Amino acid sequence: MDLISAVTAITLGPDFLKSRLSEKRVVPRISCELKGSTIIKGIKINFRITDVSMEGLKTECYEEFPRDYSFLLIVEPPSLLLEHRHEKVLDSLLVKVAWRRKRKGKLGFHMGLVIVDPQENKKKSWVARIFEELGVIDELALQKREDMRIAADFPVICKESTGKTARGVIKNISLGGVFVVSDTMIPEGQIVALALENDRRFRKIFFRGKVVRAGYHELSDKWLLGIQFDGLSQKEFKALGSLILEIQRSISKTF
């Protein structure tokens, strides 16, 4: 088992760490099934980690922690964290309790934990690695956008707002956008809807975006299109997350 196999879904939702409505914003969140622990006064306390963003985590725990209490949360087992890009991935993060509530009909508590570790530690942590591996784009993802794309190779139909259509092949993808190679030029600034041509599960879902780069490649006689996703609905974002998870897992199986 590795970190990616522990991920169950990628969703788009409000930042659960913000307490006031005026402060709420929409952020990428990853649903997962991970184990964590901490040591308090020599006693090990276990956690179930169910939801992760670059700002914090949702957890379940049998012990009650006071609000604003800070501690070191460790993800387990350590074997989940392999060396990545020649850098050691940190298995622990300094967190602070943002909120807590009792579990309905069960023992223990739900807790929202804010990550308060310095940015330098955060970008080397297991949380950052999950986001990086899945190509999740977030203002706090701490990686350059182009470094986070996942290689792909499947046909796509690009439908312009004018009604014109163009066929192409997606060569890489992230939650922020795709790189498409096509025989047809689509001008920069054009709004398009993308559909996966040969996949029944996603054929009826159109991923809306905007062409931000369009260049002609003379040797291949192809157009290279950079398309940025824009205004995706919850359903579209979740479908896109499922697609990226599937691609990433298929890549992992080849190694």
Side-chain angles (χ1 to χ4, degrees):
M1 179 180 176
D2 58 18
L3 280 174
I4 301 305
S5 64
V7 176
T8 57
I10 305 173
T11 58
L12 193 66
D15 182 355
F16 59 85
L17 299 173
K18 302 298 183 181
S19 57
R20 292 181 298 191
L21 288 175
S22 61
E23 293 180 333
K24 285 189 176 180
R25 66 187 183 92
V26 173
V27 296
R29 289 161 55 177
I30 292 173
S31 299
C32 60
E33 286 289 338
L34 284 167
K35 294 179 181 179
S37 67
T38 190
I39 304 292
I40 306 293
K41 295 181 179 179
I43 299 174
K44 182 178 179 181
I45 299 173
N46 295 316
F47 290 81
R48 177 172 171 253
I49 303 168
T50 60
D51 191 299
V52 177
S53 79
M54 284 301 300
E55 295 182 351
L57 311 91
K58 276 185 180 178
T59 65
E60 295 177 358
C61 180
Y62 286 114
E63 304 296 327
E64 183 176 9
F65 285 73
R67 188 171 179 178
D68 293 330
Y69 184 81
S70 297
F71 60 94
L72 202 63
L73 181 67
I74 304 168
V75 67
E76 296 186 347
S79 59
L80 286 177
L81 306 178
L82 302 176
E83 288 194 1
H84 182 60
R85 294 189 178 180
H86 309 293
E87 291 186 4
K88 182 176 176 59
V89 179
L90 300 181
D91 64 353
S92 60
L93 279 169
L94 184 63
V95 297
K96 183 173 70 173
V97 178
W99 55 263
R100 70 180 188 277
R101 65 173 182 269
K102 289 186 176 181
R103 299 173 65 193
K104 290 183 179 179
K106 297 180 180 180
L107 296 175
F109 300 85
H110 296 284
M111 287 198 298
L113 307 176
V114 184
I115 299 173
V116 293
D117 231 331
Q119 291 286 83
E120 188 63 27
N121 288 345
K122 189 189 291 188
K123 71 179 183 180
K124 294 179 181 178
S125 72
W126 61 270
V127 172
R129 182 184 172 188
I130 292 179
F131 276 79
E132 181 184 354
E133 288 293 308
L134 295 176
V136 178
I137 302 300
D138 183 29
E139 63 181 319
L140 295 176
L142 306 169
Q143 296 288 341
K144 293 181 179 179
R145 178 172 181 162
E146 54 266 30
D147 290 341
M148 298 171 63
R149 297 288 178 127
I150 296 172
D153 189 20
F154 43 85
V156 65
I157 298 175
C158 306
K159 185 175 182 180
E160 300 181 28
S161 56
T162 59
K164 292 172 58 179
T165 60
R167 282 180 163 78
V169 177
I170 293 177
K171 288 300 184 180
N172 63 48
I173 186 170
S174 77
L175 287 180
V178 292
F179 173 66
V180 175
V181 176
S182 176
D183 291 326
T184 307
M185 189 274 288
I186 303 178
E188 292 183 5
Q190 178 64 55
I191 303 300
V192 295
L194 306 177
L196 304 187
E197 190 171 9
N198 294 338
D199 197 313
R200 294 179 181 178
R201 295 163 301 166
F202 302 105
R203 189 178 296 168
K204 294 182 179 180
I205 298 178
F206 289 87
F207 302 110
R208 292 166 293 174
K210 180 180 180 180
V211 178
V212 293
R213 282 196 316 277
Y216 178 69
H217 189 257
E218 189 172 349
L219 290 177
S220 63
D221 191 27
K222 300 285 185 181
W223 284 91
L224 312 180
L225 309 172
I227 301 173
Q228 180 178 320
F229 294 129
D230 183 44
L232 297 182
S233 67
Q234 288 277 7
K235 180 181 179 180
E236 292 162 349
F237 192 92
K238 189 171 184 179
L240 183 59
S242 297
L243 175 62
I244 288 174
L245 270 177
E246 183 175 309
I247 295 171
Q248 187 63 33
R249 285 170 178 159
S250 67
I251 293 172
S252 298
K253 290 178 181 177
T254 63
F255 291 95

